[in-house]
Amino acid sequence: MAQQDASAAGGRSAVVKIGFALGLVLFVQALFALCLVSAQQLLVPRNMPFGVTGQPSPVVAAVASKVGLDLTSYPNPSAVTDAAQRGELYGAYVSNGSADTLILVPAKSFFAQTELEPEFLAAAHDLGQQVTVQTVKPLPSSDPVGAVTSLLLVPLLIGGYLAAVLVYKAAHGIAAAPWRGAILVGYALVGALLTDLIAGLGIGAFSSNHFWSLLPCFWLITSAVALAAAGLQAMVGRMGTLLVALLFIIVGGPPAGGSGTFLLPVYWRNIGVIFPAQSAVNLINHVLYFGASNISTPLIVLFLYAFAGMAVIGWYGRIRPAGAGAPAGRPEVDTTAPTDPAATPAGRRRALVAILAALGICAVMQCLFATNYMSASHAPKATNLPFGAVGTSPVLPAAQKNISLKVTQYPNEAAAKTAMDEARVFGALISSGTSNTLIVVPSMSDIAPLDLAVRFEEAAKATGQVLTVQQYAPTPLAAKDPFGLVQGLMLVPLLIGGYMSSTMLMSVTGRAAGRWRAAQLAGFAVVSGLVVDLIVCYWLQGFPSSKFWITWPICTLIVVVVAAVAAILQKLLGPVGTLLTVVVIMLFGNPSSGGANGVPYLPAFWRDIGPYLPPRNAYILLHHTIYFDGHGTGQALTTLLIYLGVAAAVLIVLDLRRTEASVPTDATEAAAMAVPIGATP
């Protein structure tokens, strides 16, 4: 009887642990979806610093009535140009009555330029005012859309965070040892050097002239994150790891402002000020493009994080006497006690080996983040972009000299629009005599419509043809998703929820298998898919509500596929399988998904591997279902179902054979659990 009671109590305890673990994953997933989508779904000017000089202009007044500009008056054109050169302004307008000048600053924000230029030119046209566009600080060919700054943040932020987490795990949870700060600062220098070498000299994302000026910036950013994370771990123990992920990545990452901080919602811009990510982005951007002007505030914020972290580590590791009162819920740790294994020579050697192994894992992960995300996204350029044509025109061959198109001829405009309805082309040129109409599809790609418009307008001008540009969308983009970003954003928490749910089950049960593991993961997938769907569709209005019910099973399928893949690898390899899942899904799958830019804008390697990995198929299924009524999703759905079916069959076989890897808690598990980030903040 006693044994039965103990067994029942043990069963209830296991259920509580599993419920808590999956509930924690659901909370992290929901919070990440809420933060990421709400911060970046609607990037429009909000109180954007903009300079004016000369006579009061009705053009500026007309634009300011529709666009959120914070106007600052300058005494003369030279003063306003100097301010733009220092990165203080996103643009400026010089009015002299007869011919005005619009000054744009692409290096400050490429997307701000794409918002401001058409608004000012349209207003000037309506008012009959002649305007010349002048560019200050143009972006280089290695960074045509200004993505490098935010892409650099990814390895630096993750590197600092992982270094703190893995060293903490390797040192058996002693986050405040006196040598901890020195190890993390030392690793930060190594990680900064690796990132600088890979992104600059290796990939060429920025000029080699910036190597030495960026290196101390990278070192400071990584050190600030690592030391602050270690300080939180010293104060609250294991929960510090989760707290760091929540603060620095899930809440602090989305408002980093890589596309321009004044495009973010005001509340997110204000929240971002207090976290390292936004200061890091501003520091890198101004060192890279504005001669290191106006970097005092980012430096102060990052140094404060670093110094605060070091002070806390010092307090808990040296200054605070043993037994002076540990934080509530956290036992005292006396690192000098004779019972401490690290106090013996053999223990010190084992600790050193464990720490070096942890830092090695961290270095590999940081290198992969730097290499994969930068190489996939720093310079999007179309290759064989599917495009339709009706009739013949000299504009098309002229445009093809500057953009790679895969052209399909259609008999009439209706046939071309049918191809657009079915997501088979990104646009079409309808030609009739000297009249040409370029039709672009904004729901296919955020960058293709602009790219096509620019190339075809140049071609029309060169050939003396008349060109009109029109937008066409089978299902119009949601009002709060004007750039078609939401599906790419919501994909990240779905992927993370999949592998984290399997990992947490392994962590709380001590096993990577179990009779009810598949059912538990499937149940979690159903609930998490519903939660993400509710948040993005109804709370954030990220896509039409008419698509809610069809989106729920798709979200569920994405989560359960990733969870099943993780469960197999964990069952075979233990925690190493979780790390491998992260590498496959987040470090190779996510960069190769194509995202909002579209698959044709990926380099060849990433285009070729994407079809074989879940994220590309997950994105296409999600995106095409919402905006193209499910057209073009057959292959994606089939691939995901094959993944699910094969995974289920393999799990059954492994269960029958009782194949089970050992499941220790080690640095690899921490690495996998500690990477809740996807694309660029």
Side-chain angles (χ1 to χ4, degrees):
M1 186 69 179
Q3 289 181 343
Q4 291 179 348
D5 291 342
S7 176
R12 287 193 297 270
S13 176
V15 170
V16 171
K17 287 182 179 180
I18 291 171
F20 175 78
L22 294 181
L24 183 61
V25 176
L26 185 63
F27 169 76
V28 171
Q29 185 184 31
L31 182 62
F32 200 19
L34 177 63
C35 294
L36 194 60
V37 176
S38 65
Q40 299 184 29
Q41 69 183 114
L42 185 59
L43 298 175
V44 295
R46 295 175 170 94
N47 301 326
M48 181 173 285
F50 191 87
V52 293
T53 186
Q55 306 172 15
S57 171
V59 174
V60 175
V63 174
S65 66
K66 298 188 295 181
V67 177
L69 300 179
D70 183 9
L71 302 177
T72 301
S73 180
Y74 289 83
N76 52 61
S78 177
V80 77
T81 302
D82 289 344
Q85 293 276 4
R86 295 191 298 270
E88 296 174 4
L89 303 172
Y90 284 73
Y93 195 85
V94 180
S95 175
N96 60 16
S98 57
D100 297 347
T101 301
L102 171 65
I103 298 175
L104 297 172
V105 192
K108 189 69 176 175
S109 172
F110 170 81
F111 290 99
Q113 176 191 5
T114 64
E115 286 284 310
L116 295 176
E117 184 173 0
E119 290 288 349
F120 272 92
L121 293 181
H125 179 270
D126 292 342
L127 295 169
Q129 179 65 49
Q130 183 179 353
V131 174
T132 301
V133 178
Q134 175 185 342
T135 299
V136 171
K137 295 293 182 180
L139 288 163
S141 59
S142 60
D143 186 22
V145 297
V148 166
T149 299
S150 54
L151 290 172
L152 284 170
L153 180 64
V154 175
L156 298 173
L157 186 68
I158 293 296
Y161 170 54
L162 280 182
V165 171
L166 297 186
V167 171
Y168 176 79
K169 299 286 287 187
H172 307 292
I174 306 171
W179 34 261
R180 181 62 48 83
I183 289 175
L184 293 177
V185 171
Y187 172 79
L189 177 58
V190 173
L193 181 61
L194 290 171
T195 302
D196 208 357
L197 287 169
I198 291 170
L201 299 180
I203 297 175
F206 53 82
S207 170
S208 58
N209 295 334
H210 291 102
F211 179 88
W212 293 109
S213 60
L214 286 173
L215 181 59
C217 301
F218 295 170
W219 188 11
L220 174 60
I221 293 165
T222 308
S223 296
V225 174
L227 292 171
L232 284 172
Q233 290 169 335
M235 288 190 292
V236 298
R238 290 183 179 181
M239 287 302 296
T241 301
L242 178 61
L243 187 60
V244 170
L246 291 175
L247 292 178
F248 289 1
I249 296 177
I250 294 175
V251 177
S259 300
T261 53
F262 283 85
L263 292 171
L264 295 170
V266 175
Y267 65 93
W268 272 119
R269 185 169 72 242
N270 294 334
I271 290 172
V273 169
I274 65 176
F275 291 108
Q278 189 176 114
S279 293
V281 164
N282 289 333
L283 176 62
I284 295 171
N285 179 257
H286 278 246
V287 169
L288 193 56
Y289 294 125
F290 297 100
S293 64
N294 298 313
I295 60 173
S296 299
T297 299
L299 286 175
I300 290 171
V301 171
L302 292 170
F303 271 116
L304 283 175
Y305 268 97
F307 289 148
M310 187 67 82
V312 171
I313 293 171
W315 171 259
Y316 281 94
R318 286 186 179 181
I319 301 173
R320 191 191 67 171
R330 181 174 179 267
E332 290 285 356
V333 177
D334 184 359
T335 61
T336 63
T339 56
D340 181 11
T344 66
R348 284 193 292 269
R349 285 194 296 271
R350 286 193 295 271
L352 179 60
V353 170
I355 290 171
L356 290 176
L359 293 179
I361 292 172
C362 185
V364 170
M365 296 292 285
Q366 186 164 351
C367 288
L368 284 173
F369 270 110
T371 302
N372 293 9
Y373 280 83
M374 189 66 72
S375 64
S377 305
H378 80 96
K381 183 178 180 180
T383 302
N384 293 327
L385 185 74
F387 188 80
V390 176
T392 59
S393 170
V395 175
L396 180 57
Q400 286 182 283
K401 294 178 181 178
N402 296 310
I403 183 171
S404 173
L405 301 175
K406 183 180 179 181
V407 179
T408 301
Q409 287 288 335
Y410 293 97
N412 50 53
E413 182 176 339
K417 286 188 174 180
T418 298
M420 297 177 201
D421 292 340
E422 297 175 357
R424 289 188 277 119
V425 295
F426 285 68
L429 182 67
I430 313 299
S431 303
S432 176
T434 59
S435 175
N436 301 275
T437 301
L438 173 66
I439 303 177
V440 296
V441 188
S443 49
M444 279 290 284
S445 166
D446 64 337
I447 194 172
L450 176 63
D451 196 10
L452 288 169
V454 169
R455 304 306 177 190
F456 274 85
E457 285 171 351
E458 291 173 348
K461 184 177 181 181
T463 56
Q465 297 284 305
V466 177
L467 179 72
T468 302
V469 180
Q470 294 181 359
Q471 291 189 348
Y472 175 77
T475 299
L477 289 163
K480 292 192 176 181
D481 183 27
F483 305 107
L485 303 177
V486 164
Q487 284 71 51
L489 295 172
M490 68 186 291
L491 177 64
V492 177
L494 293 172
L495 298 176
I496 290 169
Y499 80 76
M500 285 192 71
S501 60
S502 182
T503 305
M504 285 295 285
L505 282 178
M506 180 180 68
S507 177
V508 298
T509 61
R511 294 169 54 84
R515 291 170 53 191
W516 300 104
R517 180 62 48 89
Q520 292 162 351
L521 293 176
F524 172 82
V526 171
V527 175
S528 69
L530 175 61
V531 169
V532 172
D533 196 17
L534 284 169
I535 289 173
V536 178
C537 181
Y538 285 113
W539 189 345
L540 303 178
Q541 300 175 18
F543 57 85
S545 58
S546 60
K547 303 295 183 178
F548 173 83
W549 291 107
I550 189 60
T551 302
W552 179 13
I554 293 174
C555 293
T556 299
L557 177 61
I558 294 169
V559 174
V560 77
V561 164
V562 177
V565 170
I568 290 174
L569 294 175
Q570 289 164 348
K571 192 163 186 176
L572 293 174
L573 304 173
V576 177
T578 313
L579 182 61
L580 184 58
T581 304
V582 174
V583 171
V584 172
I585 299 297
M586 302 307 297
L587 286 169
F588 284 91
N590 199 39
S592 65
S593 69
N597 287 353
V599 173
Y601 283 90
L602 289 172
F605 171 78
W606 297 104
R607 286 199 311 273
D608 293 341
I609 69 169
Y612 304 102
L613 299 174
R616 164 85 63 86
N617 297 285
Y619 177 79
I620 290 175
L621 180 59
L622 194 61
H623 178 261
H624 285 19
T625 297
I626 290 175
Y627 286 125
F628 294 93
D629 291 330
H631 289 292
T633 60
Q635 181 178 338
L637 178 59
T638 301
T639 302
L640 290 176
L641 291 175
I642 289 174
Y643 261 99
L644 184 60
V646 170
V650 171
L651 282 174
I652 291 172
V653 171
L654 293 178
D655 276 339
L656 293 175
R657 295 180 60 184
R658 299 186 181 277
T659 302
E660 180 74 24
S662 60
V663 188
T665 301
D666 63 8
T668 55
E669 179 185 348
M673 289 292 293
V675 190
I677 192 167
T680 62

